[in-house]
Amino acid sequence: MTADSSLTAPGVEYAATASEAYRAALAVIESVEPRIAAATRKELADQRDSLKLIASENYASPAVLLTMGTWFSDKYAEGTIGHRFYAACQNVDTVEALAAEHARELFGAPYAYAQPHSGIDANLVAYWAILATRIEAPGLAELGAKNVNDLSEQDWEKLRAKLGNQRLLGMSLETGGHLTHGFRPNVSGKMFHQRSYGTDPETGLIDYAAVAAAAREFKPLILVAGYSAYPRRVNFATMREIADEVGATLLVDMAHFAGLVAGKVFTGDEDPVPHAHVTTTTTHKSLRGPRGGLVLATEEYAPAVDKGCPMVLGGPLSHVMAAKAVALAEARQPAFREYAQAVADNAKALADGFLKRGARLVTGGTDNHLVLLDVTSFGLTGRQAESALLDAGVVTNRNSIPADPNGAWYTSGIRFGTPALTTRGFGAAEFDRVAELVVDVLKNTEPAAASTGPSKAKYKLADGVADRVHAASAEILAANPLYPGLTL
Ligand code: PLP
């Protein structure tokens, strides 16, 4: 596999320097609360010792991680660049402007907003920016007012009712959509009348004709594309055509696959940024930055997105915006393209490894960074499979599959992602070995009865399997160390 760029920056004695920095930092923390220092050391050890296959996780570089531990954490900076509600924000302005500039350049977006603290915040900013642009602004104009504070109590109530009476069409949860795409447990489901589109029951793929038919019938204000657990690429040009036909705003949530967009694996119709009116993302998944969110927008939506604070957000996390700038700078390096391509190639190798060992995959494979394994073919629920794999040091998460017979809690699937282990240096051969180890665990796991009757959580992993898989994975992990040379 390609050497990783940002974790082993060429020509930089990063390992010795980062080791020194972390040793000093942990000594300082230890002097105040030793248990936190101990948990921090243990977290690194645990991450080093396990096969991290959670599709939404990664390993950020020491540069990104170190950037978060600074005095920017102490600064309030409500408002936006050059227009703050607090004094002395000149350095935060520098940081936020750099994060936005890197994001614009990397993704080719006219405008970028670096303040959202997470993916859910980014989506909330996007939803309210769309509502502000398409409902609030024309509503104010109709009433001859410039500002919501100029409205009478009665007019304000009318406008509020209109804001709360809009429609959103997004991908269903069980076919891979995300909670923030209009589902009732999330605030997005309470804000909007929601309908979902699913996938073709035969192929498992998005049926664009069905999406178009649902859009014509439902006439949403917002069409959401993007997913958390769909193992295929999306044609965003087609999604935009559907949105345009019904007068919807196209919002693409690329939280999961932003790294593949940044690394130019997804181009043309598969690159959401030129097609969407608004694109949201997290920065910590395949993009390999700090935990956080970003919003990209066209000129039309930029002014409303720029009011994310105070519309939805409070004071920005300036230390995290600084780390976003560092991570985005890393993602602009040529080596990130190699990384992103390897993430996709490795997902294929993992999928092929499962298929040749007889496992069933949702959609029959992958062409992005994730693989969704149907574990009913092993006679297991997702919950049983997830627990047995964890016993063997394989960290994954259970996930619904389309028409899931076991519901959203126990589920029937396991989602695997390649971004994290690709960062460690795993290539196709290592991912084939991972598939072999996973199948070994699942073939040797049986559902077990609970004392009160059958349980979808209880399982029995055959003796010796966990040890065997631990030993095999220890070998591959040792050959592909996490943060090579970093010693605490
Ligand atoms: N959108 C999608 C598609 C996601 O997969 C996720 C997280 O899993 C989010 C949004 C929310 O991100 P966060 O956990 O940073 O709020």
Side-chain angles (χ1 to χ4, degrees):
M1 226 294 295
T2 51
D4 179 82
S5 64
S6 61
L7 303 188
T8 55
V12 177
E13 262 308 310
Y14 101 95
T17 314
S19 299
E20 223 173 276
Y22 277 111
R23 269 186 240 126
L26 284 164
V28 173
I29 296 165
E30 201 148 32
S31 70
V32 181
E33 176 45 289
R35 290 170 296 182
I36 292 296
T40 307
R41 288 177 205 280
K42 179 146 188 321
E43 182 59 26
L44 177 60
D46 288 352
Q47 292 209 22
R48 279 179 155 164
D49 291 348
S50 59
L51 284 174
K52 192 205 279 212
L53 288 155
I54 292 183
S56 49
E57 293 187 7
N58 211 327
Y59 306 105
S61 71
V64 168
L65 298 176
L66 287 166
T67 304
M68 281 187 281
T70 77
W71 21 96
F72 274 119
S73 175
D74 297 331
K75 187 75 196 96
Y76 245 111
E78 287 181 6
T80 191
I81 304 163
H83 188 76
R84 307 280 182 187
F85 294 89
Y86 280 79
C89 295
Q90 63 280 6
N91 299 312
V92 178
D93 279 352
T94 302
V95 159
E96 184 170 352
L98 277 170
E101 179 189 311
H102 280 308
R104 285 194 309 271
E105 294 291 326
L106 177 63
F107 292 111
Y111 167 83
Y113 186 62
Q115 290 194 24
H117 310 335
S118 70
I120 188 170
D121 287 2
N123 284 343
L124 271 179
V125 168
Y127 289 145
W128 280 104
I130 295 167
L131 288 169
T133 306
R134 294 204 47 198
I135 306 297
E136 188 176 293
L140 283 173
E142 217 173 274
L143 293 163
K146 281 217 160 91
N147 190 299
V148 287
N149 293 325
D150 300 337
L151 296 180
S152 68
E153 198 65 26
Q154 212 181 9
D155 283 343
W156 176 230
E157 279 312 312
K158 269 193 221 149
L159 188 53
R160 271 182 6 95
K162 217 170 173 190
L163 286 166
N165 199 23
Q166 300 303 319
R167 297 170 185 200
L168 179 148
L169 178 65
M171 194 169 191
S172 74
L173 266 185
E174 64 157 17
T175 57
H178 190 258
L179 261 177
T180 56
H181 300 175
F183 296 95
R184 291 180 187 177
N186 179 257
V187 65
S188 58
K190 304 179 205 300
M191 282 162 55
F192 292 106
H193 301 287
Q194 194 264 10
R195 288 263 179 94
S196 349
Y197 57 87
T199 51
D200 182 286
E202 290 292 310
T203 61
L205 303 176
I206 291 175
D207 175 349
Y208 294 98
V211 179
R216 277 181 214 122
E217 211 249 321
F218 188 53
K219 301 211 172 7
L221 178 80
I222 305 176
L223 174 63
V224 183
Y227 54 78
S228 297
Y230 178 68
R232 295 290 175 175
R233 302 182 186 195
V234 176
N235 186 321
F236 296 110
T238 303
M239 283 294 190
R240 175 61 186 259
E241 279 169 26
I242 295 170
D244 284 347
E245 188 193 324
V246 300
T249 299
L250 179 63
L251 165 58
V252 177
D253 178 351
M254 62 170 184
H256 256 263
F257 52 89
L260 300 189
V261 178
K264 309 297 176 219
V265 176
F266 290 1
T267 56
D269 292 353
E270 294 163 357
D271 177 353
V273 181
H275 304 293
H277 297 93
V278 183
T279 305
T280 57
T281 186
T282 54
T283 46
H284 48 271
K285 302 188 197 320
S286 55
L287 195 52
R288 205 165 64 183
R291 305 199 74 75
L294 267 183
V295 182
L296 310 174
T298 55
E299 304 286 0
E300 183 187 1
Y301 290 93
V305 173
D306 211 46
K307 296 192 179 77
C309 166
M311 185 168 54
V312 171
L313 306 168
L317 309 179
S318 304
H319 55 308
V320 182
M321 289 198 295
K324 285 176 198 173
V326 172
L328 291 163
E330 288 174 350
R332 291 182 67 190
Q333 298 301 314
F336 194 85
R337 293 193 183 195
E338 289 174 42
Y339 164 71
Q341 189 56 53
V343 166
D345 294 346
N346 285 341
K348 243 183 201 46
L350 181 66
D352 290 346
F354 285 138
L355 291 170
K356 77 180 183 206
R357 293 175 177 89
R360 209 182 76 78
L361 302 180
V362 173
T363 78
T366 179
D367 50 29
N368 58 18
H369 65 296
L370 69 88
V371 174
L372 191 55
L373 177 64
D374 175 355
V375 293
T376 57
S377 56
F378 294 94
L380 300 170
T381 64
R383 175 76 186 267
Q384 290 160 336
E386 177 193 82
S387 302
L389 287 167
L390 191 59
D391 289 348
V394 184
V395 185
T396 63
N397 68 288
R398 65 188 188 278
N399 209 101
S400 298
I401 61 172
D404 200 309
N406 290 312
W409 177 250
Y410 293 109
T411 82
S412 303
I414 293 286
R415 187 183 67 164
F416 297 86
T418 53
L421 292 180
T422 302
T423 294
R424 278 185 84 134
F426 279 44
E430 287 80 5
F431 273 100
D432 182 61
R433 182 84 169 115
V434 168
E436 188 184 353
L437 298 176
V438 166
V439 170
D440 188 14
V441 172
L442 298 182
K443 274 192 170 159
N444 286 294
T445 304
E446 284 181 3
S451 53
T452 53
S455 160
K456 291 181 173 187
K458 300 265 179 204
Y459 64 97
K460 168 91 179 72
L461 177 59
D463 291 344
V465 179
D467 287 345
R468 178 165 82 216
V469 170
H470 266 294
S473 50
E475 257 179 52
I476 331 172
L477 291 167
N480 297 278
L482 174 60
Y483 304 123
L486 186 81
T487 54
L488 303 183

